[in-house]
Amino acid sequence: MILRPDSLEQVQECVRAANREGRALYPISSGKNRGYGSRVPTSDNCALLDLSRMNRIVDFNEKLGYVTVEPGVTQRQLCAFLAERKSGLWMDATGAGLDCSIIGNTVERGFGHTPYGDHFSNACGLEVVLANGEILQTGFAGLPGARAAEVYRWGVGPSLDGLFSQSNFGIVTRMTVWLMPAPEHYQAFLFQSSEEDSLSRFVERLRPLRMNGTLRSAVHIANDYKVLNGMQQFPEGEAEPLSAAAITGYAGKLGFGRWNGSGGLYGTRRQVAEARRLVRLALSGSVTKLQFLDERMLRIAARFKTQYRWFTGLDLTRTLELVRPVFGLMKGVPTDQPMASVYWRKKTPIPRDPDPERDRCGLMWFAPVAPSDGESVRQLADIAEHTLREFGFEPMISMTMITERSVASVISITYDREVEGEDDKAMNCFVQLRSRLAVKGYYPYRLGIQDMDLLDADPVRKAFLSAIRKATDPGNVLAPGRYLTPDSKA
Amino acid sequence: MILRPDSLEQVQECVRAANREGRALYPISSGKNRGYGSRVPTSDNCALLDLSRMNRIVDFNEKLGYVTVEPGVTQRQLCAFLAERKSGLWMDATGAGLDCSIIGNTVERGFGHTPYGDHFSNACGLEVVLANGEILQTGFAGLPGARAAEVYRWGVGPSLDGLFSQSNFGIVTRMTVWLMPAPEHYQAFLFQSSEEDSLSRFVERLRPLRMNGTLRSAVHIANDYKVLNGMQQFPEGEAEPLSAAAITGYAGKLGFGRWNGSGGLYGTRRQVAEARRLVRLALSGSVTKLQFLDERMLRIAARFKTQYRWFTGLDLTRTLELVRPVFGLMKGVPTDQPMASVYWRKKTPIPRDPDPERDRCGLMWFAPVAPSDGESVRQLADIAEHTLREFGFEPMISMTMITERSVASVISITYDREVEGEDDKAMNCFVQLRSRLAVKGYYPYRLGIQDMDLLDADPVRKAFLSAIRKATDPGNVLAPGRYLTPDSKA
């Protein structure tokens, strides 16, 4: 059963009915939690509570830089909203596609690519329907007429925002999201190296710039497989899985490295120029290529790509196609381009209207977090590459320097669900990967629906959360099993 | 009764004993929560649980920039620790004095003056003794061998840090605090204006620089009374309360304005130079004085103050005395200097070893938050000035642009507790102030012990918190009434 409320009152009514009838609800915003289970509930016999019809932008403040949205508001919608108003504000976008819900991604603590990339750190004032049907507001928002509810996250008294992220304690029906003033100037930088060990060097060299505020946004570093996966489907005629020798060949031919990074510089022209100098200094000697790109350069490159081809024999079209979405993401422009990458192992071409679920594309993401030091990221990458190869998958890995001190890796198991046995193989690979990384202390920042029992490893925390659950949702009606497995299992 | 555990195990034992014996505990770290009740419990018949003996610095990482501390670790101690190690890291300091606990201030969500000034945003990995005596760890810390526990705040699953700030749900016995790498260059800027309306103009002009990341730390703006209060005791021979005409006279004589601001610039020399240009541009036309200061300039000024006096007839000594602590705070050096200001109304001189409690200095702070816009801060300041004058107190007000979008005001009611009737007058003034500001939607970011019932204004939130309380602390042993009044009162 799918319920599609279109107002707060209807959500309350659904929750009250669920309590009366002893039925559980599984709330989704847009259901695009790709790689982590999409819209599939964490337990059986749940009615899906689809909030996508609640898609109003209920408040917008250009001066103070925020927008208040309902769960159905998507990246596409907010982007269009800001463009229509010719707003001087940028949103932050994740790579999860145009139809991804802002609230959905934020309460899952997803991240994007601008200085506001840590979504949960840039949101406040949650409106939450509790399991008893009452409406709770976080921060200052619950106090009558509060004026700072949209601008100051903590409010007064215990701060509850965190309790409603990655949890099943309430249904978030409204949230304020901070928006970044468009900088006077924005420049992207792209860098790469063919050396095996360049990943750890990149992290060591760039961490000081992350920590001292020169790099205000995430730096994204992808391995060779991940880059090829972003450019095309599995290359015809090659044997599966694509070997190390083969990927090195493609890297040489298509002009990418063993490890490939990108980041953004934001500010006045002088601030960007100084940041450029510091990035160049930091990466000097560690890269085979370092390129700075801005709007003007991209326009020129697009105009002269034919001439470029005459002179160099290289076709820039492909590179530009690949660079554009990355360049856009770093200025908060959402894109559906990364969705194509899910068709990697499909033998048929990517359709015009990609729909990974319909087309049975297999995708599992695992996103462990490491301290931002060279040794840790090298160890994490080694375990991931080794394990994915062992199970016959190409090891597609990205490492995002998401905060000043931490790196979030996204490891993709990408396969074709229509090939017999691949679902099981992927799951076995996932289980091995998770356990090998846990042994070394690397835990994911976010869980897929198959992975919720990870939190059982901390019995005190689990008991504490279960007590809160029993006290606030005695009927067990909200998303049972989501980030809190049933007690009997503990 | 005062309990002084010196280990985690002893804290657990205290909690278990409290449950057995049906006695409540009121945990304090250093007990220096000045202006908000210091070490006085929120309900009667509590045993004080004084954690000051637990004062170990248990972990320190120069590369990743963090330190893990126990509740007894004070600002003085951390500052000395970093100096001894010749660390390249800065702590952030509040104005609350050298003996203020790092954890105490952070869980109260206090703030300081460097880019890490929002303390709670720069802390993670809490170790908490729950009401049942068990030890809970937040973020990744509870997972076996987790490597990112000190560097990534959210961990996985519901984030619980917020629940243990400004609350009575557990006793924080350990916490990781992030430290800022010392910048290549640091410069302070000081500005002032004699115009009545300069406050709102300052906020309007500087907000864009806060929002675009040029100003990474809080900008502190104080009114004339607050400045004089920082320089000396109540001027002899004047009538109480000090009139508007009188304060304007002192402002002219001593060289401060109606509103007086300070902020810090951090970065490479070029980053600081560009920030200086932008600050100058933003404030141009709105200030009567704008000054940039760095270590070198301060040294020169100190050396030549005698000559300066010959030429100008003005004594720089006083100004330097006043500037030094502010300059130091903006680079994270704690100071006891602000403590002297509490002796404002005392007829005896400030003792060499100030102890406001012993000397019966009266101090109540009220710290409402406003959006960072000119209209709001003007309205807030007007209400505060009007109300304090009405009750016969000098309106001492600061406005701190604490985050990109919000301003936290600190309004000080400073008096002499030895003068008959002043305690009552101060309390009446406080109650009026609170209610007049609430009507306009300005609520404090933090509560004094006399003020905890403010949260009763949000019955849904209160019921939710009470349910958690009952489930996790059925014996009501942890700080009853702290940020959650007893149910009967609701």
Side-chain angles (χ1 to χ4, degrees):
Chain A
M1 184 164 76
I2 303 182
L3 303 166
R4 300 187 193 276
D6 75 350
S7 70
L8 182 61
E9 293 68 32
Q10 288 187 8
V11 174
Q12 292 180 282
E13 192 33 53
C14 289
V15 171
R16 291 194 186 111
N19 275 294
R20 272 196 310 272
E21 296 159 21
R23 188 179 357 111
L25 298 173
Y26 193 77
I28 55 167
S29 296
S30 65
K32 301 294 186 293
N33 193 17
R34 294 215 171 90
Y36 301 103
S38 294
R39 58 197 291 127
V40 181
T42 41
S43 66
D44 297 337
N45 305 319
C46 284
L48 220 53
L49 185 71
D50 178 342
L51 303 168
S52 58
R53 288 174 67 202
M54 292 177 67
N55 62 356
R56 286 179 313 147
I57 293 174
V58 291
D59 194 6
F60 171 62
N61 190 315
E62 176 82 23
K63 186 162 100 166
L64 292 168
Y66 65 81
V67 67
T68 304
V69 298
E70 292 184 334
V73 174
T74 62
Q75 299 205 102
R76 183 200 306 272
Q77 186 182 347
L78 180 54
C79 186
F81 176 90
L82 295 173
E84 263 166 41
R85 267 152 201 79
K86 302 195 188 341
S87 168
L89 300 167
W90 284 2
M91 63 180 280
D92 185 272
T94 79
L98 294 167
D99 295 320
C100 173
S101 155
I102 308 279
I103 285 186
N105 187 268
T106 303
V107 297
E108 281 298 294
R109 303 200 295 253
F111 56 86
H113 302 263
T114 73
Y116 285 35
D118 183 356
H119 290 170
F120 197 66
S121 289
N122 290 285
C124 71
L126 279 59
E127 176 190 82
V128 182
V129 175
L130 299 174
N132 62 5
E134 303 229 51
I135 301 161
L136 176 101
Q137 298 187 82
T138 70
F140 281 128
L143 294 171
R147 303 199 44 179
E150 291 83 11
V151 292
Y152 183 77
R153 59 186 302 106
W154 307 122
V156 58
S159 168
L160 297 175
D161 296 14
L163 199 61
F164 297 109
S165 68
Q166 295 192 357
S167 86
N168 58 6
F169 294 126
I171 303 169
V172 179
T173 48
R174 194 176 281 199
M175 175 185 275
T176 291
V177 173
W178 295 329
L179 303 172
M180 168 187 169
E184 179 189 307
H185 193 48
Y186 152 58
Q187 209 163 57
F189 63 100
L190 305 170
F191 56 99
Q192 54 174 262
S193 165
S194 313
E195 278 175 50
E196 186 56 40
D197 200 39
S198 48
L199 170 65
S200 53
R201 218 149 348 110
F202 290 165
V203 169
E204 283 296 321
R205 295 297 184 86
L206 294 175
R207 183 193 57 245
L209 297 186
R210 268 310 255 138
M211 282 181 65
N212 73 17
T214 298
L215 294 177
R216 289 160 52 210
S217 64
V219 175
H220 189 75
I221 306 170
N223 74 352
D224 40 15
Y225 285 100
K226 185 93 179 177
V227 174
L228 186 66
N229 172 237
M231 296 176 92
Q232 60 171 63
Q233 287 178 279
F234 189 94
E236 259 190 78
E238 299 280 359
E240 287 179 0
L242 196 67
S243 69
I247 188 70
T248 307
Y250 284 99
K253 204 159 62 184
L254 296 171
F256 54 85
R258 173 76 176 97
W259 290 99
N260 309 269
S262 60
L265 309 175
Y266 310 85
T268 62
R269 292 201 167 263
R270 291 186 208 185
Q271 283 170 337
V272 169
E274 173 66 352
R276 199 164 54 229
R277 181 181 76 86
L278 295 169
V279 167
R280 200 170 268 146
L281 202 65
L283 289 177
S284 134
S286 302
V287 289
T288 43
K289 219 188 251 180
L290 170 62
Q291 234 183 324
F292 295 88
L293 271 183
D294 57 29
E295 295 283 4
R296 218 180 103 250
M297 290 148 125
L298 272 181
R299 272 200 309 273
I300 294 174
R303 194 180 307 156
F304 293 104
K305 65 190 173 198
T306 322
Q307 291 86 328
Y308 186 82
R309 197 179 185 177
W310 289 342
F311 283 108
T312 62
L314 294 171
D315 186 358
L316 264 184
T317 318
R318 218 49 214 284
T319 313
L320 283 172
E321 261 171 37
L322 192 72
V323 164
R324 271 246 167 255
V326 175
F327 186 81
L329 274 176
M330 284 193 277
K331 53 184 260 191
V333 179
T335 168
D336 266 342
Q337 192 253 18
M339 253 211 292
S341 65
V342 184
Y343 287 79
W344 170 252
R345 284 278 189 107
K346 285 281 169 189
K347 302 296 178 263
T348 49
I350 300 165
R352 262 164 199 281
D353 59 331
D355 182 338
E357 284 88 14
R358 178 198 63 204
D359 299 330
R360 299 185 47 76
C361 302
L363 174 67
M364 292 175 89
W365 273 345
F366 191 67
V369 181
S372 205
D373 73 74
E375 275 300 317
S376 302
V377 293
R378 177 197 294 131
Q379 184 180 42
L380 202 171
D382 283 352
I383 295 171
E385 295 214 352
H386 181 80
T387 307
L388 266 75
R389 276 190 205 286
E390 190 181 316
F391 282 85
F393 299 108
E394 292 77 23
M396 297 164 184
I397 298 170
S398 70
M399 294 276 178
T400 303
M401 300 176 72
I402 180 175
T403 70
E404 286 84 345
R405 294 165 175 75
S406 68
V407 169
S409 177
V410 176
I411 304 161
S412 318
I413 305 177
T414 305
Y415 62 101
D416 184 354
R417 300 194 65 186
E418 288 189 288
V419 175
E420 178 79 33
E422 287 283 284
D423 266 341
D424 285 349
K425 214 171 68 177
M427 187 57 85
N428 291 338
C429 176
F430 180 90
V431 169
Q432 272 301 323
L433 182 64
R434 162 182 147 164
S435 111
R436 287 175 189 174
L437 287 171
V439 165
K440 297 292 181 188
Y442 302 105
Y443 294 98
Y445 86 92
R446 177 178 182 176
L447 301 178
I449 52 168
Q450 77 287 359
D451 200 21
M452 295 295 169
D453 60 338
L454 178 107
L455 294 167
D456 296 350
D458 185 346
V460 174
R461 195 165 186 279
K462 182 165 180 191
F464 184 73
L465 292 174
S466 297
I468 295 181
R469 173 77 173 182
K470 262 179 227 133
T472 62
D473 185 0
N476 201 26
V477 297
L478 300 183
R482 190 154 183 86
Y483 289 101
L484 186 60
T485 55
D487 254 355
S488 53
K489 239 178 125 180
Chain B
M1 186 164 73
I2 303 182
L3 304 166
R4 302 187 193 275
D6 75 350
S7 70
L8 182 60
E9 294 68 33
Q10 289 187 7
V11 174
Q12 291 180 283
E13 192 32 53
C14 290
V15 171
R16 292 196 185 111
N19 274 294
R20 272 197 310 272
E21 298 159 19
R23 186 182 354 113
L25 298 174
Y26 194 76
I28 55 167
S29 297
S30 66
K32 301 294 187 293
N33 192 19
R34 294 216 169 89
Y36 300 103
S38 295
R39 58 198 291 130
V40 181
T42 43
S43 67
D44 297 337
N45 305 319
C46 286
L48 219 52
L49 186 70
D50 179 341
L51 303 169
S52 58
R53 287 174 68 202
M54 292 177 69
N55 63 354
R56 287 179 312 146
I57 293 174
V58 290
D59 194 7
F60 171 62
N61 190 315
E62 175 83 24
K63 186 161 99 167
L64 292 166
Y66 65 79
V67 66
T68 304
V69 297
E70 292 185 335
V73 174
T74 62
Q75 300 204 101
R76 183 201 305 271
Q77 187 182 347
L78 181 54
C79 186
F81 176 90
L82 295 173
E84 263 165 40
R85 267 151 201 80
K86 300 194 190 344
S87 168
L89 300 166
W90 283 2
M91 63 178 280
D92 186 89
T94 79
L98 294 167
D99 294 321
C100 173
S101 155
I102 308 279
I103 285 187
N105 187 269
T106 304
V107 297
E108 279 301 290
R109 301 201 295 255
F111 55 86
H113 302 264
T114 73
Y116 284 35
D118 184 355
H119 290 170
F120 197 66
S121 290
N122 290 287
C124 72
L126 279 59
E127 176 190 82
V128 182
V129 175
L130 299 173
N132 62 6
E134 303 229 50
I135 300 161
L136 177 102
Q137 298 187 81
T138 70
F140 282 128
L143 294 171
R147 303 200 40 177
E150 290 84 11
V151 291
Y152 182 77
R153 59 187 300 105
W154 306 121
V156 59
S159 167
L160 297 175
D161 295 13
L163 200 61
F164 297 109
S165 68
Q166 294 190 359
S167 86
N168 58 6
F169 294 126
I171 303 169
V172 179
T173 47
R174 195 177 280 200
M175 174 184 275
T176 291
V177 173
W178 295 330
L179 303 172
M180 168 186 171
E184 178 189 308
H185 193 48
Y186 151 59
Q187 208 163 57
F189 63 100
L190 306 169
F191 56 99
Q192 56 173 261
S193 166
S194 313
E195 277 176 51
E196 185 57 40
D197 199 38
S198 48
L199 170 65
S200 53
R201 219 150 348 112
F202 290 165
V203 169
E204 283 296 320
R205 296 295 185 85
L206 294 175
R207 184 191 57 246
L209 298 186
R210 266 313 253 141
M211 283 180 65
N212 74 18
T214 297
L215 294 177
R216 291 159 52 211
S217 64
V219 175
H220 188 75
I221 306 170
N223 74 353
D224 39 15
Y225 286 99
K226 184 93 179 178
V227 174
L228 186 65
N229 172 236
M231 295 176 91
Q232 60 171 64
Q233 287 179 279
F234 189 93
E236 259 190 77
E238 299 279 357
E240 287 180 2
L242 196 66
S243 70
I247 188 73
T248 307
Y250 285 99
K253 204 160 60 183
L254 297 171
F256 54 87
R258 173 77 176 96
W259 290 99
N260 309 269
S262 60
L265 309 176
Y266 309 87
T268 61
R269 291 204 166 259
R270 291 186 209 187
Q271 284 170 337
V272 169
E274 173 64 352
R276 199 166 52 228
R277 182 182 76 87
L278 295 168
V279 166
R280 201 170 264 146
L281 201 66
L283 289 177
S284 132
S286 301
V287 289
T288 42
K289 218 189 250 179
L290 171 61
Q291 233 182 326
F292 294 89
L293 269 185
D294 56 29
E295 295 282 5
R296 219 181 101 251
M297 291 148 117
L298 271 181
R299 270 200 309 272
I300 294 174
R303 192 179 311 156
F304 293 104
K305 64 190 174 197
T306 321
Q307 290 87 330
Y308 185 83
R309 197 179 184 176
W310 289 342
F311 282 106
T312 64
L314 293 171
D315 187 359
L316 264 184
T317 317
R318 220 47 213 285
T319 313
L320 282 172
E321 261 171 39
L322 192 70
V323 164
R324 272 247 166 255
V326 176
F327 185 82
L329 274 176
M330 285 193 276
K331 53 184 261 191
V333 179
T335 167
D336 266 342
Q337 192 256 14
M339 252 211 292
S341 65
V342 184
Y343 287 80
W344 170 252
R345 284 275 189 109
K346 286 280 169 191
K347 302 296 178 263
T348 49
I350 301 165
R352 261 164 199 282
D353 59 333
D355 181 337
E357 284 87 15
R358 178 199 61 203
D359 299 330
R360 300 187 46 78
C361 301
L363 175 66
M364 293 176 87
W365 273 347
F366 191 67
V369 181
S372 203
D373 73 73
E375 275 301 317
S376 302
V377 293
R378 178 196 295 132
Q379 185 180 40
L380 203 171
D382 284 351
I383 295 170
E385 294 216 353
H386 181 81
T387 307
L388 266 74
R389 275 189 206 286
E390 191 182 316
F391 283 85
F393 299 109
E394 291 78 21
M396 297 163 184
I397 298 170
S398 69
M399 293 277 178
T400 303
M401 300 176 72
I402 179 176
T403 71
E404 286 85 344
R405 292 164 176 77
S406 67
V407 170
S409 178
V410 176
I411 304 162
S412 318
I413 305 178
T414 305
Y415 63 100
D416 184 352
R417 299 193 67 187
E418 287 188 288
V419 174
E420 177 81 32
E422 288 283 284
D423 266 340
D424 285 348
K425 213 170 68 175
M427 186 59 84
N428 291 338
C429 176
F430 180 89
V431 169
Q432 272 301 321
L433 182 65
R434 163 182 149 165
S435 113
R436 287 175 189 174
L437 287 171
V439 166
K440 298 293 180 187
Y442 303 106
Y443 294 99
Y445 86 92
R446 177 178 184 177
L447 301 177
I449 51 166
Q450 77 287 359
D451 199 21
M452 296 294 170
D453 60 338
L454 179 107
L455 294 166
D456 295 351
D458 184 346
V460 174
R461 194 165 186 281
K462 180 165 182 190
F464 184 73
L465 291 175
S466 298
I468 295 181
R469 173 76 174 182
K470 261 178 228 135
T472 61
D473 185 1
N476 202 27
V477 297
L478 300 183
R482 189 151 183 88
Y483 288 100
L484 186 61
T485 55
D487 254 356
S488 53
K489 239 176 127 180

